[in-house]
Amino acid sequence: MKKIFLFLLISLAFYNLPAQKFEKKLDSLISVEFKEKDGPGLVFLVSKNGKAIYEKAIGKANLELNVDLKNENVFQIASMTKQFTAVAILILEEQGKLNVNETVSKYIPDYPNGDKITIHHLLTHTSGIKDFTKIKALKDISQKEMTPEMMVDFFKNEKVDFLPGEKFEYNNSGYVLLGYIIELVSKESYENFLKKNIFDKAGMKNTFYATDRQIVKNRAYGYHKKESGYVNKTVISYSIPFSSGALMSTSADLLKWQNALTQNKLLKKENLEKAFRKNHLNNGEEFSYGYGWHLKDIKGIPTREHGGHLFGFKSMAVYIPSKDIYAVTLSNCDCNSPTEITKKIAEIMLKNYSN
């Protein structure tokens, strides 16, 4: 009996060794990259096989009140919103309500060149329409409450940058159009459609369409860093980024999102796989973007990645499907970039859990 007990103890210690080793490496990496503890900061979550094995929060959720960040804090996730918009489109396609190869003009008849631009072009940033973030007049509407139709009208008559399918160029306007199409087809608001078809099904109770008016429990406040110190984030209306970047969430809810995708809770596997295929331009050239995800790799092992940046906040997530490894970092200051450190975390995770 003693021998069996000793064997179990040794086995348990051996099993925990990779996790302990990983935690020390991560702690060391984070402490080197982010030394300031009294400014706004970041939260980190890493999972293996759908379960969180490392969580950490550094910095402040609110500088005025001197409140520390915690992993339960709610952050604006900015362009990570595009994943949800893309999946919502695929849900509507699975329901037989649209097809990604249909043109924009089917849903918005007066859209310029809409008979040449497909939903697929919008999803893959190959439509050529003008990105509204590059339009000078944006500052004039940045604090106005805009309907999706008003946002589309804001950019639809701008000169196109290129013809559909000729080039890959990251584009927020395309994802605003997708959100508007979601509303037209579903006859629901974008917010309600996502809540019913994604958030509720995935168990994401702390994920919302962003608001500065309603009380959001555990909200992390956003900041900019100036030469004089930190200042509160620039105020905008979230109806501007809309379905291209207006969601807010927690690290734990984003893990639930990833798990819901992995477990096919939201879409059949064959339909979801469309989001994770590399695509081609008109000339046959391949580019590494699916529907709402950058498709990259770490040392030859495929990854699905996306980040986000909106006044006062930055986000980044990396998923390694072959190992079911997920790493997500959320920041409440646009002075802290989570992109590279999240990739480093995923790489360390890959080395320590290679089996």
Side-chain angles (χ1 to χ4, degrees):
M1 183 65 74
K2 286 183 179 179
K3 287 183 178 179
I4 294 173
F5 180 70
L6 184 62
F7 174 77
L8 288 173
L9 280 178
I10 292 170
S11 298
L12 188 61
F14 181 78
Y15 178 80
N16 287 331
L17 192 59
Q20 292 167 358
K21 194 176 177 184
F22 171 71
E23 287 176 14
K24 285 181 180 178
K25 282 186 178 180
L26 265 199
D27 285 341
S28 176
L29 174 65
I30 292 168
S31 65
V32 169
E33 295 277 346
F34 303 102
K35 299 182 185 299
E36 187 173 2
K37 302 295 187 287
D38 295 324
L42 311 95
V43 300
F44 303 85
L45 181 147
V46 186
S47 73
K48 178 78 173 83
N49 298 329
K51 294 183 179 180
I53 62 168
Y54 181 91
E55 293 182 85
K56 192 178 185 70
I58 59 169
K60 302 292 181 181
N62 186 297
L63 299 184
E64 291 89 339
L65 300 177
N66 196 34
V67 176
D68 290 339
L69 272 171
K70 55 185 179 179
N71 277 82
E72 291 77 18
N73 283 128
V74 178
F75 293 74
Q76 287 167 215
I77 62 170
S79 282
M80 283 182 67
T81 298
K82 290 179 174 68
Q83 300 175 5
F84 295 86
T85 301
V87 168
I89 287 288
L90 291 176
I91 288 170
L92 286 170
E93 185 176 56
E94 186 171 279
Q95 293 173 352
K97 295 178 180 178
L98 60 71
N99 186 292
V100 296
N101 294 314
E102 291 170 338
T103 62
V104 169
S105 60
K106 178 174 180 179
Y107 302 99
I108 310 170
D110 65 341
Y111 197 89
N113 205 34
D115 59 336
K116 303 290 193 299
I117 303 168
T118 65
I119 292 173
H120 172 81
H121 288 135
L122 302 178
L123 287 163
T124 56
H125 303 285
T126 56
S127 68
I129 62 178
K130 179 68 70 177
D131 190 327
F132 72 83
T133 64
K134 297 176 181 177
I135 300 173
K136 289 183 179 179
L138 181 62
K139 64 179 184 299
D140 299 328
I141 65 164
S142 63
Q143 294 185 11
K144 293 181 180 179
E145 194 63 29
M146 304 283 283
T147 65
E149 185 177 9
M150 289 166 67
M151 273 305 299
V152 171
D153 286 344
F154 175 71
F155 59 73
K156 74 178 186 181
N157 292 312
E158 294 286 324
K159 184 180 177 181
V160 298
D161 292 329
F162 52 87
L163 295 176
E166 283 196 350
K167 187 178 176 182
F168 168 84
E169 192 169 288
Y170 193 81
N171 189 295
N172 289 286
S173 294
Y175 271 77
V176 167
L177 262 173
L178 290 169
Y180 185 35
I181 289 170
I182 288 167
E183 294 200 346
L184 292 171
V185 173
S186 70
K187 296 180 173 54
E188 293 184 71
S189 70
Y190 172 80
E191 179 179 1
N192 288 344
F193 185 85
L194 261 61
K195 185 178 187 305
K196 184 170 72 177
N197 292 278
I198 297 178
F199 304 157
D200 289 350
K201 288 184 178 181
M204 301 169 69
K205 296 181 179 179
N206 296 296
T207 301
F208 318 98
Y209 190 91
T211 172
D212 280 334
R213 295 181 179 177
Q214 296 176 13
I215 302 299
V216 177
K217 188 179 179 181
N218 294 321
R219 180 201 297 272
Y221 286 76
Y223 299 94
H224 307 292
K225 191 173 186 179
K226 306 290 185 181
E227 287 184 11
S228 58
Y230 293 107
V231 298
N232 287 305
K233 71 175 179 69
T234 301
V235 175
I236 64 164
S237 166
Y238 297 113
S239 63
I240 305 296
F242 182 46
S243 47
S244 74
L247 296 185
M248 56 199 313
S249 190
T250 64
S251 56
D253 262 20
L254 289 172
L255 174 57
K256 289 179 180 179
W257 159 243
Q258 181 55 59
N259 287 342
L261 295 172
T262 305
Q263 296 161 14
N264 300 115
K265 288 183 177 180
L266 308 175
L267 280 164
K268 294 176 182 176
K269 184 177 180 180
E270 60 269 25
N271 295 328
L272 179 59
E273 283 301 314
K274 290 184 180 182
F276 309 131
R277 293 175 190 158
K278 292 183 179 180
N279 289 287
H280 297 83
L281 301 176
N282 295 342
N283 63 5
E285 180 184 341
E286 185 180 76
F287 60 96
S288 300
Y289 198 94
Y291 292 172
W293 277 267
H294 293 280
L295 306 174
K296 300 189 177 183
D297 70 88
I298 296 176
K299 298 189 182 303
I301 298 176
T303 63
R304 301 167 186 167
E305 309 176 6
H306 217 289
H309 177 198
L310 189 65
F311 298 116
F313 292 90
K314 285 189 174 181
S315 59
M316 182 64 183
V318 176
Y319 182 61
I320 307 172
S322 62
K323 306 295 182 182
D324 198 4
I325 290 171
Y326 186 61
V328 59
T329 308
L330 305 174
S331 170
N332 65 328
C333 181
D334 48 23
C335 59
N336 294 325
S337 177
T339 302
E340 289 308 315
I341 194 166
T342 309
K343 291 180 179 180
K344 289 177 183 177
I345 289 169
E347 188 171 348
I348 292 170
M349 186 74 173
L350 199 54
K351 290 178 181 176
N352 281 267
Y353 292 88
S354 57
N355 295 328

